[in-house]
Amino acid sequence: MTEFDQNQVENGNESMEAAINSVQEVNVGDVVRGEVLAIEDKQAVVGIEGTGVEGVVPAKELSTLPVDDINEVVKVGDILDLVVITSIGKDKENGSYLLSKRRLDAKKVWEEIEENFKSGKIIEAPVTNVVKGGLVVDVGVRGFVPASMVEDHFVADFEEYKGKTLAFKIIEIEPSENRLILSHKAVVEGEKEVKKKEVLENIHEGDTVEGKVARLTDFGAFIDLGGIDGLVHVSEIAHKHVAKPSDVLSVGDEVKVKVLSISPEQERVSLSIKETLPGPWSEIEEKAPVGEVLDGVVKRLTSFGAFVEIFPGVEGLVHISQISHKHIATPHEVLQEGEAVKVKVLEVNPAEHRVALSIKALEEKPETEASPKEVEDYEMPEESTGFTMGDILGDALKGEIEDTEE
């Protein structure tokens, strides 16, 4: 053998030895790279880089999601990061190792989830299924949202959530058990707290703002101001009497409200709808001009007269001397509370919210009527009526003088 031939043999032996030495040993748990060599019915055959051996990746081990068609997930020539699950012998035709991409992906996902959990980061994920007791979501691994953690209010049917992508807070994780509990409710509550703080910082007593009726109760209506609910007490809904809020309002109605008071510490806001509406006494001179005949309802009877409601929230006084042409000792003799009557407007005082009315002015005076004294001993009313002693006695004496002149 020549020196040249001997050198070639030695070089060849070194190259083979180097190649043999470069072949890596494959162990269970190793992370390897593999090139997809072929795609069979329900598995991909891959060549493991640096080993000279092959492995198989079953369809279920290719993705964390269900795989219906393996060809939609991988194709020949793809390079995959894989983890060695187990050795399945030296049968080159079927591969010698069972490999998984799903488990490696899941491990990376769990590591990321743990970081998000520690930092309190909010994550987003699609809802893949609705099951008894809650929602199933995909965050690279399976996550579960208990029914009580879906919303901050009761939800009767969760089917509408399927396919939606929602934001979640991580509540509990246990990678070894593939346990991941998420909450959308916590995200909603957190967002509301931020909005509530913003609203409380930006509204002030006396402001007029817009809101939406969120809830109705017997004592009032809760109005959503865009982050906090304010209460409109039933007495602040309208100028007229409202028995139940539901008589005039419905959930979802958009309304204007005036801010009556704010208590940031208690997160309470008192509102009024009627303060944004024209008052019952606005334009009263146009609605009830002197001489006008109106329909009314007797609301209260006192010793000196009857208060008659002529418009919602507007009551006028029919002095006892203006009730009847005949002498009466008390209004109760001829009138009853709740009775419908016709009245004539005698005087209007918008500034003091007073309207003087007459019933007898619309009745024909009996020819045989004497002229009795229409005002005897007068007792000062205990309640504030808007009418002074002089007004009441003056009207009475005026009526008496007119009767005398006749």
Side-chain angles (χ1 to χ4, degrees):
M1 179 180 295
T2 66
E3 184 178 351
F4 175 77
D5 291 335
Q6 186 175 355
N7 288 336
Q8 278 191 320
V9 171
E10 290 177 355
N11 290 336
N13 290 337
E14 290 176 359
S15 298
M16 183 176 296
E17 183 179 355
I20 292 173
N21 291 334
S22 68
V23 174
Q24 301 174 10
E25 184 179 351
V26 179
N27 298 303
V28 173
D30 285 351
V31 175
V32 299
R33 290 174 66 86
E35 179 182 356
V36 178
L37 304 176
I39 297 176
E40 299 177 352
D41 184 24
K42 293 183 178 180
Q43 63 183 22
V45 178
V46 300
I48 303 175
E49 289 186 358
T51 67
V53 297
E54 297 179 356
V56 294
V57 186
K60 67 178 183 179
E61 294 296 335
L62 281 169
S63 173
T64 57
L65 299 176
V67 177
D68 295 324
D69 184 354
I70 193 172
N71 293 286
E72 294 180 356
V73 181
V74 293
K75 62 181 182 296
V76 173
D78 284 351
I79 304 296
L80 307 176
D81 288 325
L82 306 162
V83 62
V84 180
I85 300 175
T86 185
S87 171
I88 54 176
K90 300 297 182 180
D91 186 351
K92 299 291 184 179
E93 185 178 349
N94 295 316
S96 56
Y97 292 95
L98 185 64
L99 308 170
S100 174
K101 179 177 182 296
R102 176 183 67 84
R103 300 188 192 191
L104 186 60
D105 291 344
K107 182 175 182 295
K108 294 177 181 178
V109 170
W110 278 113
E111 290 173 353
E112 184 178 352
I113 289 174
E114 287 187 285
E115 287 298 320
N116 292 335
F117 178 62
K118 292 176 182 177
S119 65
K121 183 179 178 180
I122 301 301
I123 63 174
E124 291 189 350
V127 177
T128 57
N129 201 6
V130 176
V131 296
K132 183 178 181 181
L135 308 176
V136 176
V137 300
D138 173 40
V139 292
V141 294
R142 182 183 185 276
F144 181 66
V145 187
S148 61
M149 296 185 184
V150 176
E151 295 288 358
D152 63 346
H153 58 269
F154 175 74
V155 178
D157 186 4
F158 291 107
E159 284 298 326
E160 65 179 67
Y161 288 88
K162 190 173 182 178
K164 286 186 176 181
T165 296
L166 302 176
F168 299 100
K169 181 177 181 180
I170 302 170
I171 303 300
E172 182 182 344
I173 62 171
E174 184 50 66
S176 63
E177 298 178 6
N178 288 327
R179 180 179 175 82
L180 174 61
I181 304 299
L182 306 171
S183 173
H184 178 61
K185 175 182 176 180
V187 176
V188 173
E189 290 178 336
E191 291 174 345
K192 285 188 174 181
E193 282 300 317
V194 172
K195 291 180 180 179
K196 184 185 294 184
K197 184 178 179 181
E198 291 177 354
V199 172
L200 289 172
E201 290 177 348
N202 290 289
I203 64 172
H204 307 87
E205 186 174 319
D207 286 352
T208 296
V209 296
E210 294 185 353
K212 184 177 292 186
V213 178
R215 289 179 292 138
L216 295 174
T217 68
D218 290 339
F219 57 84
F222 286 92
I223 310 299
D224 181 5
L225 300 178
I228 188 172
D229 287 352
L231 173 65
V232 178
H233 189 269
V234 63
S235 63
E236 291 293 332
I237 291 178
H239 291 288
K240 65 180 182 180
H241 173 70
V242 176
K244 293 189 302 182
S246 57
D247 291 339
V248 293
L249 295 173
S250 299
V251 173
D253 286 351
E254 295 186 357
V255 294
K256 281 188 177 181
V257 291
K258 183 176 180 179
V259 180
L260 300 181
S261 65
I262 305 173
S263 177
E265 298 79 13
Q266 297 177 325
E267 297 184 342
R268 292 175 58 183
V269 180
S270 296
L271 306 169
S272 174
I273 293 176
K274 78 177 184 181
E275 288 293 323
T276 68
L277 304 174
W281 289 88
S282 63
E283 301 180 349
I284 189 64
E285 289 180 297
E286 287 73 24
K287 294 188 291 185
V290 173
E292 185 77 3
V293 177
L294 302 170
D295 291 318
V297 176
V298 178
K299 288 295 184 179
R300 290 175 292 147
L301 294 174
T302 69
S303 59
F304 57 86
F307 286 92
V308 177
E309 185 179 61
I310 53 177
F311 298 106
V314 177
E315 292 182 4
L317 173 65
V318 180
H319 187 267
I320 190 171
S321 64
Q322 293 296 325
I323 292 177
S324 175
H325 287 288
K326 67 180 182 179
H327 173 72
I328 58 174
T330 68
H332 298 80
E333 293 180 21
V334 292
L335 295 174
Q336 294 180 346
E337 291 184 357
E339 180 180 351
V341 294
K342 283 189 177 295
V343 292
K344 184 176 182 178
V345 180
L346 301 181
E347 181 186 351
V348 181
N349 189 329
E352 297 183 14
H353 288 183
R354 293 190 312 168
V355 177
L357 306 170
S358 175
I359 294 176
K360 80 173 187 180
L362 300 176
E363 299 175 349
E364 186 176 348
K365 181 179 179 181
E367 294 181 0
T368 58
E369 179 188 4
S371 299
K373 184 179 179 181
E374 293 186 341
V375 178
E376 298 180 352
D377 293 339
Y378 179 75
E379 180 181 351
M380 175 68 72
E382 295 181 359
E383 59 185 313
S384 175
T385 64
F387 291 84
T388 66
M389 184 68 167
D391 294 328
I392 296 170
L393 291 180
D395 290 342
L397 293 174
K398 180 181 177 182
E400 183 175 352
I401 292 172
E402 289 177 352
D403 290 344
T404 303
E405 290 177 350
E406 291 177 2

